[in-house]
């Protein structure tokens, strides 16, 4: 897969995810600030599995992600490409650090077949700033 192709998909993922964030704002009360954000969103770190680790079809693997922001984390998002399993996005209630853990079931097969699973993670802080997307590549067997 070409570098430009994965960047395009990542941009589309971020655009869709940001739309979800903005569209979901009315679902629960949000902290309201009178000043604009500081322009720096939460730091996302994918803790496990490690880069280029192998995940196997038909098996479960553990996924762990940490988000940090001194302003407080509002919402966090973790996406898989291809979307083999829908992971819950949720609010962090303004915590300055939060770790999310997922048990991801890989399907028995992928249609169309894929060799790489991309994990994308990002969060939005309570000031409304979106952090950079952290990406991890996993090999599928």
């Amino acid at each position: 897969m070409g570098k430009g192709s994965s960047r395009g998909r990542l941009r589309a993922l971020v655009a869709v995810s940001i739309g979800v964030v903005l569209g979901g704002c009315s679902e629960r009360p949000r902290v309201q600030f009178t000043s604009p954000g500081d322009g720096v969103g939460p730091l996302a770190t994918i803790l496990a599995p490690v880069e280029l680790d192998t995940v196997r079809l038909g098996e479960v693997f553990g996924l762990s992600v940490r988000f940090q922001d001194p302003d407080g984390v509002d919402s966090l998002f973790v996406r898989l490409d291809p979307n083999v399993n829908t992971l819950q996005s949720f609010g962090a209630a303004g915590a300055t650090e939060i770790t999310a853990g997922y048990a991801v079931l890989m399907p028995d097969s992928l249609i169309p077949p894929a060799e790489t699973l991309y994990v994308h993670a990002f969060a939005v802080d309570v000031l409304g700033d979106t952090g950079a997307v952290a990406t991890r590549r996993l090999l599928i067997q």
Side-chain angles (χ1 to χ4, degrees):
M1 178 178 302
K3 197 174 191 180
S5 173
S6 61
R7 282 187 186 158
R9 285 202 323 245
L10 181 57
R11 284 188 193 110
L13 171 72
V14 170
V16 168
S17 298
I18 290 172
V20 169
V21 170
L22 296 176
C25 288
S26 63
E27 293 178 9
R28 62 185 169 86
R30 304 283 187 187
V31 177
Q32 299 295 318
F33 289 89
T34 56
S35 62
D38 61 6
V40 179
L43 172 66
T45 306
I46 300 170
L47 302 172
V50 297
E51 179 74 6
L52 298 176
D53 203 355
T54 300
V55 294
R56 296 187 183 346
L57 294 174
E59 295 183 9
V60 174
F61 72 91
L63 174 61
S64 180
V65 184
R66 181 177 57 226
F67 302 91
Q68 299 169 287
D69 192 307
D71 298 324
V73 179
D74 180 69
S75 303
L76 53 98
F77 304 87
V78 180
R79 304 284 186 256
L80 303 174
D81 180 21
N83 186 18
V84 297
N85 197 311
T86 302
L87 304 179
Q88 179 182 6
S89 299
F90 55 92
T96 58
E97 181 174 327
I98 186 165
T99 300
Y102 300 93
V104 180
L105 173 62
M106 291 294 293
D108 289 330
S109 64
L110 292 177
I111 299 175
E115 296 178 2
T116 306
L117 177 67
Y118 294 89
V119 178
H120 306 288
F122 73 96
V124 178
D125 68 17
V126 295
L127 300 177
D129 297 313
T130 301
V133 177
T135 301
R136 176 73 38 98
R137 297 173 298 163
L138 304 173
L139 304 176
I140 299 172
Q141 286 190 351

